[in-house]
Amino acid sequence: MNFLTVFARAVASMRYNKTRSFLTALGIIIGVTTIIAIVALLKGLDRTIDQEFSSLGTKTIYVQKMELEIGLRRHRNFEEISKRPDLTVEDAAAISELATVRAAVPYIPRNLGTLTRGIYEADECILAGIGEGGDLTGNWIISRGRFITRYDQQHRNMVCVIGSYVADNLFGRGEEPLNQTLEVDGRRYVVVGVLEEKGGSFGHPQDNQIFIPVETHLKYYSLPEGRASVFRGMRIEVLPEEEVPVETAVADVEELLRLRHGLRYYEDNDFGLNTQESMLSSLNTIRSVLWLVMVGVAGISLLVGGIGIMNIMLVSVAERTREIGIRKAVGASDVDITVQFLSEAVALASVGGVVGIVLGLAAGAFVSAITPLQAAAPWWTVVLGVGFSAAVGIIFGIYPARKASGLNPIDAIRYE
Amino acid sequence: MAERREAGVARAPVERVIELAGVSKVYDTGRVAVRALDDVDLRLEAGGYMAIMGPSGSGKSTLMHILGCLDTPTSGSYFLRGHEVSQYARKKLAQVRNREVGFVFQRFNLLPRLTAAENVELPLLYAGASAERRREVVADLLAKVGLSDRGHHRPNELSGGEVQRVAIARALANDPAIILADEPTGNLDSKSEEDLMQLLDSLNEKGKTLVVVTHEDSVARHAKRVITLHDGRVV
Ligand SMILES: Nc1ncnc2c1ncn2[C@@H]1O[C@H](COP(=O)(O)OP(=O)(O)OP(=O)(O)O)[C@@H](O)[C@H]1O
Ligand SMILES: [Mg+2]
C-alpha cells in the first residue's frame, strides 16, 4: 500500500465518524491556533518595539539615577536608589566638556495636567526644563523659531519651545504661536520655537512638552524628592561626538561621574547609564520570557490535544477489535495494522493542524486590523504547525496502534 | 472415520496439504483449564473435501482456527504443505493467512464500513497487488460468486447468503490452496444453503482443498469425507 492509499483510507475512516473526529481534532486545532497566533503577536510586538525605539535618539545616552531595565530581572530597592545623589546641571556641564561628547543636556519633567489659554485647552502637558542641545539629544526637528540656548539658561529667560500638540491645541487655527506668551502656573513665557510632530514612544506622548531653560525651571520648582526623584528627577541626555562609538562615550561619562561622586573602585555606580542598546538588551530578556511562555502554552495545549487523540484512538481500537481480527484473518500483518491506526491518528492531527494554522493566521490578521500591532505570522510557523501536529499524531497514535497490532487474530474476532 | 495415528512425524509428504500431529489446545481461563483439542491427528490430501461435525463445544472452531493459522496449538505440530507452521513467527503467519488459506466465518465476516468489493479487495491489498490487478481480480471473483451487481453494496445492504458469498470471494482473492469454512451456512435457509454448497462444490472440483464445519447432514453430505469431534477428540 502506498502512502496515498494509506492516507486516503485514514481520511475515509475519519469521515465515518465526523463529530467524534472533529472533537478529537479540536485539541490540536486549539494548540496550533495558539502557537500561530502567539508567534504572530510576538512578531508584531517585536516590530512595534523596533519602531518605538527608532523614535528615540538612537545614539543618546540617558544618565539617570537608576539603571533602566525593562524586565523583571531583579528586585530593585527604590529606597536605596532614591538616596543616591541627584544629577545636577554642573554634572551636565562637566560631561559636555568631555572630548567624546558632543552635547550633554539636563532635563527635568514636570506634569502640568490640563493647561488652558483663553478658550483653548490641552490635556496632560509637561513642563520640561532643558539645556542647549536638547533638540539634538531628543531627536527634535525645529519647525519654526529656535531651541533653548545657553544664554537662555544663564539668564533664566522666560522663554519656551513648544511641542506640536501644545501648539495645535493652545493656539487657534492659523494663529502663529511664535512670540506669543504662554502662561504656566501664573508665569508668562514667550514662545521662541515650535517643534515638529514626533509621535509617541512606548505609549508616552512626547509632543505635549513645553521646554523652558533648565535654570528657569530650577528657580521656580524644587526637585522631586524621595522615590519621585528616581523617575521624575533630573536626567542628563548625552549625545556622543560623531564617529565616536556609544560605548566609548559611555565609558568616559561613567569614569567622570564616578570621580565626581567620589566613588571608590570597589563601589558600584550610583547612577544609571541607559542607552538604546542597554534597554534593548533588557527588553530581549522579556522577549525570551514571552517566547518561553509561548512554548509552554503551546506545548501544554498540544499535549492536551495529543492525549485527546490517544484517548479516541484507544476507544477506536476497542470498538474495532473485530475489524482488526478480520483484517488479520485475511492477511494483515502487525505492521499493516500499526500503519492503519497510526495514519488515522496522524490524519486527525494533521487536519487539526491545518485548521489551526488557518485560524491562527486569521487571528493574527484580525489583531492587525483592529490594533496598531502589526501581527503577522512568518512562513515558518506554518511548517511548525504542520510539523507539531503530525508529531503529536505519531507520538500519541503509536500506543493505540501498537495495542491494535498486538492483538491475536482469534481473540480479536471473538471480542464482543 | 478416525485418522490412522502416526506418531513422530518429522516432515510430511508434500501432497498432503494438511497434517496435524498430536495437536492439543488448552484454554487456561485461570480457574479451570479447558482442553478444547486433545491430541488430534489429521491429514488431508490436496483436492480433499472434508466436513467436520460434532456437538457444540466439541472443539470444531478451535480446530479450524488452528488450521487457518488464526491460533496456535498448545502442543503438537501442524504441517501446511510440508512446512511446520506451528513454529512460524507472527509475520510469517500473517503471510500464510494471506496467501495459503482462505477463511469463511459463520457470522461477522465482512467489515461493515467497506463495500462488498472493498471487502474482497482486502487480501489483495495486504498482498501488495497493484490497483489495476486488484480491480481485475475483484470483478472476476464477484462474477464468480454471482454478485457482479452488488460490488458497491455495504454488508447491511446484502442478504445473509450474499454476505457469505462475498466472504467466499474474499477467501479466494489470493488463490489459496485451502478454503476453510466454519459453519458457513449456519444462518441461512435451506435454499441459500444449497446455493452456497454448490458454490463450494464447484471450487473443490477446480482443485481447492476444502474443510467445512457444520451441524447439518445436508451440508456434510457434500463432502468426500466426514470426521466427528467429541470433547476435543476425533472419534
Ligand atoms: N478463548 C477461549 N477461552 C476459554 N475457553 C474457550 C475459548 N474458546 C473456546 N473455548 C472452549 O473450548 C471448547 C471448544 O470450543 P469451540 O468453539 O471450538 O467449540 P465448537 O465445537 O466450535 O462449538 P460450536 O458448535 O458451538 O461452535 C468449548 O468448551 C469452549 O468453551
Ligand atoms: Mg464453533
Side-chain angles (χ1 to χ4, degrees):
Chain A
M1 270 197 275
N2 63 28
F3 174 77
L4 272 180
T5 330
V6 168
F7 200 76
R9 264 153 225 278
V11 170
S13 165
M14 211 163 69
R15 289 177 47 166
Y16 188 82
N17 214 329
K18 289 196 194 74
T19 315
R20 181 200 283 177
S21 300
F22 169 73
L23 289 175
T24 310
L26 200 58
I28 299 292
I29 293 176
I30 292 171
V32 173
T33 307
T34 316
I35 298 184
I36 306 268
I38 293 183
V39 169
L41 289 180
L42 288 180
K43 277 278 155 191
L45 201 62
D46 282 0
R47 215 166 295 167
T48 310
I49 287 170
D50 290 343
Q51 281 166 6
E52 296 287 341
F53 264 109
S54 66
S55 79
L56 296 174
T58 42
K59 284 186 79 181
T60 304
I61 304 158
Y62 297 87
V63 186
Q64 282 162 286
K65 248 181 158 172
M66 177 176 138
E67 303 83 352
L68 282 188
E69 276 173 356
I70 309 174
L72 322 147
R73 213 182 307 166
R74 67 183 109 112
H75 180 73
R76 311 301 299 266
N77 185 342
F78 287 105
E79 286 309 326
E80 204 77 46
I81 290 167
S82 63
K83 284 189 195 120
R84 290 175 171 185
D86 284 316
L87 291 156
T88 63
V89 177
E90 290 70 38
D91 287 332
I95 292 171
S96 64
E97 297 295 313
L98 288 169
T100 50
V101 168
R102 182 169 166 205
V105 181
Y107 172 94
I108 321 169
R110 180 180 179 82
N111 286 333
L112 293 176
T114 303
L115 195 62
T116 56
R117 177 176 171 273
I119 55 164
Y120 304 111
E121 60 178 53
D123 294 329
E124 291 180 39
C125 289
I126 290 169
L127 185 71
I130 201 161
E132 186 178 72
D135 51 337
L136 297 177
T137 56
N139 240 10
W140 291 106
I141 297 167
I142 296 159
S143 167
R144 299 184 299 285
R146 60 172 178 84
F147 202 73
I148 304 293
T149 62
R150 184 172 300 249
Y151 185 85
D152 292 328
Q153 247 173 289
Q154 286 164 354
H155 293 83
R156 298 190 170 92
N157 283 345
M158 299 301 283
V159 293
C160 69
V161 175
I162 57 176
S164 63
Y165 167 83
V166 179
D168 290 347
N169 285 281
L170 289 186
F171 295 89
R173 201 179 285 261
E175 191 181 355
E176 176 54 64
L178 272 187
N179 300 322
Q180 305 238 34
T181 54
L182 192 60
E183 193 177 311
V184 179
D185 289 335
R187 286 177 281 271
R188 294 160 154 262
Y189 300 86
V190 177
V191 179
V192 295
V194 180
L195 300 171
E196 278 196 1
E197 184 178 343
K198 187 155 135 184
S201 179
F202 298 99
H204 282 290
Q206 297 188 89
D207 296 315
N208 58 344
Q209 298 187 85
I210 298 158
F211 292 108
I212 60 173
V214 67
E215 297 290 1
T216 313
H217 197 283
L218 288 171
K219 177 176 166 190
Y220 296 121
Y221 305 101
S222 52
L223 284 168
E225 280 171 25
R227 277 169 176 248
S229 72
V230 178
F231 292 110
R232 309 220 55 91
M234 182 178 294
R235 74 179 188 214
I236 301 170
E237 300 182 356
V238 180
L239 186 68
E241 273 300 349
E242 246 153 300
E243 313 290 317
V244 171
V246 176
E247 309 83 70
T248 312
V250 165
D252 286 354
V253 173
E254 182 176 13
E255 196 187 318
L256 178 68
L257 280 181
R258 285 183 67 87
L259 208 68
R260 288 178 66 82
H261 288 187
L263 293 176
R264 309 282 186 93
Y265 68 93
Y266 53 83
E267 287 175 310
D268 287 334
N269 286 350
D270 56 1
F271 52 88
L273 293 172
N274 302 307
T275 60
Q276 193 177 107
E277 211 81 337
S278 72
M279 281 192 266
L280 263 179
S281 80
S282 65
L283 196 65
N284 284 338
T285 352
I286 305 196
R287 291 193 203 189
S288 35
V289 169
L290 280 176
W291 282 93
L292 263 170
V293 168
M294 180 211 83
V295 170
V297 168
I300 288 170
S301 40
L302 281 175
L303 184 74
V304 170
I307 290 170
I309 287 191
M310 178 150 78
N311 193 15
I312 288 299
M313 291 311 294
L314 284 173
V315 170
S316 175
V317 167
E319 254 182 18
R320 290 156 69 186
T321 302
R322 187 174 287 133
E323 172 187 330
I324 295 164
I326 292 172
R327 285 179 182 273
K328 289 201 150 190
V330 300
S333 66
D334 292 0
V335 171
D336 290 325
I337 300 292
T338 308
V339 166
Q340 182 193 341
F341 280 87
L342 203 53
S343 63
E344 283 179 27
V346 171
L348 263 177
S350 309
V351 168
V354 169
V355 175
I357 286 168
V358 172
L359 288 180
L361 292 177
F366 180 70
V367 168
S368 300
I370 63 162
T371 72
L373 211 60
Q374 290 302 302
W379 63 270
W380 54 262
T381 51
V382 173
V383 179
L384 193 79
V386 171
F388 261 141
S389 45
V392 164
I394 290 173
I395 291 165
F396 292 95
I398 199 100
Y399 172 64
R402 293 296 295 264
K403 203 170 157 148
S405 70
L407 288 170
N408 236 14
I410 202 62
D411 295 338
I413 289 169
R414 285 198 168 162
Y415 181 85
E416 293 295 331
Chain B
M1 265 183 254
E3 283 270 314
R4 186 171 51 88
R5 173 90 190 251
E6 192 180 278
V9 180
R11 203 186 121 75
V14 176
E15 69 269 24
R16 277 184 199 142
V17 178
I18 289 171
E19 170 134 15
L20 294 184
V23 164
S24 295
K25 180 73 187 180
V26 181
Y27 291 112
D28 195 356
T29 51
R31 268 191 287 167
V32 279
V34 179
R35 214 169 177 78
L37 287 180
D38 191 4
D39 198 17
V40 171
D41 296 332
L42 193 69
R43 288 180 193 176
L44 192 59
E45 268 72 42
Y49 191 168
M50 182 169 76
I52 302 176
M53 299 191 74
S56 189
S58 56
K60 305 182 294 294
S61 294
T62 306
L63 177 58
M64 289 295 265
H65 293 152
I66 286 171
L67 292 179
C69 291
L70 295 169
D71 208 352
T72 47
T74 311
S75 61
S77 301
Y78 171 22
F79 296 91
L80 182 69
R81 302 175 94 185
H83 300 282
E84 186 169 5
V85 292
S86 34
Q87 300 295 322
Y88 277 10
R90 288 172 71 95
K91 189 179 171 187
K92 211 73 191 296
L93 285 173
Q95 266 170 21
V96 172
R97 291 194 291 268
N98 189 225
R99 290 153 208 246
E100 309 274 336
V101 294
F103 212 104
V104 179
F105 301 94
Q106 178 180 353
R107 295 180 304 152
F108 310 124
N109 256 304
L110 304 184
L111 295 187
R113 295 182 188 189
L114 304 186
T115 63
E118 285 168 343
N119 267 285
V120 177
E121 191 188 12
L122 277 180
L124 293 159
L125 214 54
Y126 291 126
S130 70
E132 196 187 340
R133 175 160 165 69
R134 296 200 304 261
R135 238 193 329 273
E136 250 168 52
V137 173
V138 169
D140 227 41
L141 289 172
L142 284 175
K144 200 176 208 166
V145 299
L147 291 173
S148 291
D149 52 346
R150 295 286 194 275
H152 294 291
H153 287 230
R154 290 187 198 277
N156 60 1
E157 299 158 350
L158 295 170
S159 76
E162 286 167 344
V163 166
Q164 293 308 75
R165 280 193 276 159
V166 173
I168 290 173
R170 186 179 64 191
L172 291 169
N174 285 323
D175 199 20
I178 309 161
I179 301 291
L180 304 169
D182 191 354
E183 301 194 51
T185 62
N187 291 346
L188 303 183
D189 60 32
S190 54
K191 170 73 173 71
S192 313
E193 176 188 295
E194 191 52 33
D195 289 349
L196 197 78
M197 288 319 292
Q198 268 170 20
L199 179 59
L200 288 177
D201 289 353
S202 73
L203 294 178
N204 180 243
E205 278 156 26
K206 283 175 201 141
K208 299 278 181 210
T209 309
L210 245 60
V211 181
V212 179
V213 168
T214 185
H215 286 287
E216 310 290 334
D217 287 328
S218 53
V219 170
R221 214 173 39 225
H222 289 259
K224 294 174 186 163
R225 193 176 132 208
V226 179
I227 63 164
T228 306
L229 281 183
H230 210 284
D231 286 342
R233 288 171 171 276
V234 181
V235 295

mmCIF file with all atom_site columns, all heavy atoms in Angstrom, chain A residues 414, chain B residues 57 60-62 106 182-183 213 215, ligand 2:
data_model
loop_
_atom_site.group_PDB
_atom_site.id
_atom_site.type_symbol
_atom_site.label_atom_id
_atom_site.label_alt_id
_atom_site.label_comp_id
_atom_site.label_asym_id
_atom_site.label_entity_id
_atom_site.label_seq_id
_atom_site.pdbx_PDB_ins_code
_atom_site.Cartn_x
_atom_site.Cartn_y
_atom_site.Cartn_z
_atom_site.occupancy
_atom_site.B_iso_or_equiv
_atom_site.pdbx_formal_charge
_atom_site.auth_seq_id
_atom_site.auth_comp_id
_atom_site.auth_asym_id
_atom_site.auth_atom_id
_atom_site.pdbx_PDB_model_num
ATOM   1  N  N   . ARG A 1 414 ? -13.207 -12.901 18.242 1.00 0.00 ? 414 ARG A N   1
ATOM   2  C  CA  . ARG A 1 414 ? -14.187 -13.354 19.235 1.00 0.00 ? 414 ARG A CA  1
ATOM   3  C  C   . ARG A 1 414 ? -14.638 -12.245 20.160 1.00 0.00 ? 414 ARG A C   1
ATOM   4  O  O   . ARG A 1 414 ? -15.572 -12.411 20.928 1.00 0.00 ? 414 ARG A O   1
ATOM   5  C  CB  . ARG A 1 414 ? -13.574 -14.466 20.081 1.00 0.00 ? 414 ARG A CB  1
ATOM   6  C  CG  . ARG A 1 414 ? -13.517 -15.757 19.327 1.00 0.00 ? 414 ARG A CG  1
ATOM   7  C  CD  . ARG A 1 414 ? -13.330 -16.882 20.293 1.00 0.00 ? 414 ARG A CD  1
ATOM   8  N  NE  . ARG A 1 414 ? -13.551 -18.147 19.630 1.00 0.00 ? 414 ARG A NE  1
ATOM   9  C  CZ  . ARG A 1 414 ? -13.118 -19.295 20.127 1.00 0.00 ? 414 ARG A CZ  1
ATOM   10 N  NH1 . ARG A 1 414 ? -12.479 -19.307 21.275 1.00 0.00 ? 414 ARG A NH1 1
ATOM   11 N  NH2 . ARG A 1 414 ? -13.358 -20.417 19.496 1.00 0.00 ? 414 ARG A NH2 1
ATOM   12 N  N   . GLY B 2 57  ? -19.298 -27.173 21.332 1.00 0.00 ? 57  GLY B N   1
ATOM   13 C  CA  . GLY B 2 57  ? -18.256 -27.180 22.353 1.00 0.00 ? 57  GLY B CA  1
ATOM   14 C  C   . GLY B 2 57  ? -17.268 -28.312 22.176 1.00 0.00 ? 57  GLY B C   1
ATOM   15 O  O   . GLY B 2 57  ? -16.377 -28.513 23.009 1.00 0.00 ? 57  GLY B O   1
ATOM   16 N  N   . LYS B 2 60  ? -14.659 -27.878 17.321 1.00 0.00 ? 60  LYS B N   1
ATOM   17 C  CA  . LYS B 2 60  ? -14.602 -27.731 15.858 1.00 0.00 ? 60  LYS B CA  1
ATOM   18 C  C   . LYS B 2 60  ? -13.984 -26.392 15.458 1.00 0.00 ? 60  LYS B C   1
ATOM   19 O  O   . LYS B 2 60  ? -13.078 -26.334 14.621 1.00 0.00 ? 60  LYS B O   1
ATOM   20 C  CB  . LYS B 2 60  ? -16.021 -27.837 15.257 1.00 0.00 ? 60  LYS B CB  1
ATOM   21 C  CG  . LYS B 2 60  ? -16.764 -29.100 15.636 1.00 0.00 ? 60  LYS B CG  1
ATOM   22 C  CD  . LYS B 2 60  ? -18.119 -29.185 14.983 1.00 0.00 ? 60  LYS B CD  1
ATOM   23 C  CE  . LYS B 2 60  ? -19.105 -28.112 15.466 1.00 0.00 ? 60  LYS B CE  1
ATOM   24 N  NZ  . LYS B 2 60  ? -19.490 -28.247 16.898 1.00 0.00 ? 60  LYS B NZ  1
ATOM   25 N  N   . SER B 2 61  ? -14.507 -25.322 16.053 1.00 0.00 ? 61  SER B N   1
ATOM   26 C  CA  . SER B 2 61  ? -13.986 -23.994 15.705 1.00 0.00 ? 61  SER B CA  1
ATOM   27 C  C   . SER B 2 61  ? -12.521 -23.873 16.090 1.00 0.00 ? 61  SER B C   1
ATOM   28 O  O   . SER B 2 61  ? -11.705 -23.334 15.338 1.00 0.00 ? 61  SER B O   1
ATOM   29 C  CB  . SER B 2 61  ? -14.794 -22.906 16.397 1.00 0.00 ? 61  SER B CB  1
ATOM   30 O  OG  . SER B 2 61  ? -16.108 -22.897 15.884 1.00 0.00 ? 61  SER B OG  1
ATOM   31 N  N   . THR B 2 62  ? -12.192 -24.389 17.266 1.00 0.00 ? 62  THR B N   1
ATOM   32 C  CA  . THR B 2 62  ? -10.798 -24.343 17.719 1.00 0.00 ? 62  THR B CA  1
ATOM   33 C  C   . THR B 2 62  ? -9.893  -25.003 16.684 1.00 0.00 ? 62  THR B C   1
ATOM   34 O  O   . THR B 2 62  ? -8.838  -24.461 16.316 1.00 0.00 ? 62  THR B O   1
ATOM   35 C  CB  . THR B 2 62  ? -10.672 -25.059 19.071 1.00 0.00 ? 62  THR B CB  1
ATOM   36 O  OG1 . THR B 2 62  ? -11.609 -24.480 19.980 1.00 0.00 ? 62  THR B OG1 1
ATOM   37 C  CG2 . THR B 2 62  ? -9.279  -24.925 19.631 1.00 0.00 ? 62  THR B CG2 1
ATOM   38 N  N   . GLN B 2 106 ? -18.811 -18.003 10.311 1.00 0.00 ? 106 GLN B N   1
ATOM   39 C  CA  . GLN B 2 106 ? -20.270 -18.135 10.343 1.00 0.00 ? 106 GLN B CA  1
ATOM   40 C  C   . GLN B 2 106 ? -20.942 -16.757 10.321 1.00 0.00 ? 106 GLN B C   1
ATOM   41 O  O   . GLN B 2 106 ? -21.889 -16.527 9.581  1.00 0.00 ? 106 GLN B O   1
ATOM   42 C  CB  . GLN B 2 106 ? -20.686 -18.892 11.601 1.00 0.00 ? 106 GLN B CB  1
ATOM   43 C  CG  . GLN B 2 106 ? -22.201 -19.031 11.739 1.00 0.00 ? 106 GLN B CG  1
ATOM   44 C  CD  . GLN B 2 106 ? -22.575 -19.779 13.004 1.00 0.00 ? 106 GLN B CD  1
ATOM   45 O  OE1 . GLN B 2 106 ? -21.719 -20.308 13.723 1.00 0.00 ? 106 GLN B OE1 1
ATOM   46 N  NE2 . GLN B 2 106 ? -23.875 -19.844 13.261 1.00 0.00 ? 106 GLN B NE2 1
ATOM   47 N  N   . ASP B 2 182 ? -16.162 -22.183 8.568  1.00 0.00 ? 182 ASP B N   1
ATOM   48 C  CA  . ASP B 2 182 ? -16.709 -22.586 9.870  1.00 0.00 ? 182 ASP B CA  1
ATOM   49 C  C   . ASP B 2 182 ? -18.197 -22.276 9.894  1.00 0.00 ? 182 ASP B C   1
ATOM   50 O  O   . ASP B 2 182 ? -18.590 -21.122 10.049 1.00 0.00 ? 182 ASP B O   1
ATOM   51 C  CB  . ASP B 2 182 ? -15.974 -21.834 10.984 1.00 0.00 ? 182 ASP B CB  1
ATOM   52 C  CG  . ASP B 2 182 ? -16.299 -22.395 12.366 1.00 0.00 ? 182 ASP B CG  1
ATOM   53 O  OD1 . ASP B 2 182 ? -17.181 -23.286 12.446 1.00 0.00 ? 182 ASP B OD1 1
ATOM   54 O  OD2 . ASP B 2 182 ? -15.678 -21.938 13.339 1.00 0.00 ? 182 ASP B OD2 1
ATOM   55 N  N   . GLU B 2 183 ? -18.995 -23.297 9.764  1.00 0.00 ? 183 GLU B N   1
ATOM   56 C  CA  . GLU B 2 183 ? -20.452 -23.152 9.695  1.00 0.00 ? 183 GLU B CA  1
ATOM   57 C  C   . GLU B 2 183 ? -20.878 -22.034 8.742  1.00 0.00 ? 183 GLU B C   1
ATOM   58 O  O   . GLU B 2 183 ? -21.575 -21.101 9.153  1.00 0.00 ? 183 GLU B O   1
ATOM   59 C  CB  . GLU B 2 183 ? -21.026 -22.900 11.091 1.00 0.00 ? 183 GLU B CB  1
ATOM   60 C  CG  . GLU B 2 183 ? -20.691 -24.036 12.045 1.00 0.00 ? 183 GLU B CG  1
ATOM   61 C  CD  . GLU B 2 183 ? -21.521 -23.987 13.306 1.00 0.00 ? 183 GLU B CD  1
ATOM   62 O  OE1 . GLU B 2 183 ? -22.751 -23.881 13.187 1.00 0.00 ? 183 GLU B OE1 1
ATOM   63 O  OE2 . GLU B 2 183 ? -20.942 -24.045 14.408 1.00 0.00 ? 183 GLU B OE2 1
ATOM   64 N  N   . VAL B 2 213 ? -16.974 -26.900 8.536  1.00 0.00 ? 213 VAL B N   1
ATOM   65 C  CA  . VAL B 2 213 ? -17.574 -27.306 9.808  1.00 0.00 ? 213 VAL B CA  1
ATOM   66 C  C   . VAL B 2 213 ? -19.079 -27.145 9.688  1.00 0.00 ? 213 VAL B C   1
ATOM   67 O  O   . VAL B 2 213 ? -19.559 -26.141 9.145  1.00 0.00 ? 213 VAL B O   1
ATOM   68 C  CB  . VAL B 2 213 ? -17.059 -26.424 10.965 1.00 0.00 ? 213 VAL B CB  1
ATOM   69 C  CG1 . VAL B 2 213 ? -17.886 -26.635 12.218 1.00 0.00 ? 213 VAL B CG1 1
ATOM   70 C  CG2 . VAL B 2 213 ? -15.590 -26.728 11.243 1.00 0.00 ? 213 VAL B CG2 1
ATOM   71 N  N   . HIS B 2 215 ? -23.228 -28.482 11.386 1.00 0.00 ? 215 HIS B N   1
ATOM   72 C  CA  . HIS B 2 215 ? -24.095 -29.319 12.205 1.00 0.00 ? 215 HIS B CA  1
ATOM   73 C  C   . HIS B 2 215 ? -25.075 -30.073 11.322 1.00 0.00 ? 215 HIS B C   1
ATOM   74 O  O   . HIS B 2 215 ? -25.776 -30.953 11.797 1.00 0.00 ? 215 HIS B O   1
ATOM   75 C  CB  . HIS B 2 215 ? -24.914 -28.440 13.172 1.00 0.00 ? 215 HIS B CB  1
ATOM   76 C  CG  . HIS B 2 215 ? -24.118 -27.893 14.299 1.00 0.00 ? 215 HIS B CG  1
ATOM   77 N  ND1 . HIS B 2 215 ? -23.693 -28.682 15.340 1.00 0.00 ? 215 HIS B ND1 1
ATOM   78 C  CD2 . HIS B 2 215 ? -23.662 -26.657 14.562 1.00 0.00 ? 215 HIS B CD2 1
ATOM   79 C  CE1 . HIS B 2 215 ? -23.004 -27.941 16.191 1.00 0.00 ? 215 HIS B CE1 1
ATOM   80 N  NE2 . HIS B 2 215 ? -22.965 -26.702 15.729 1.00 0.00 ? 215 HIS B NE2 1
HETATM 81 MG MG  . MG  C 3 .   ? -17.822 -23.170 16.558 1.00 0.00 ? 2   MG  C MG  1
#
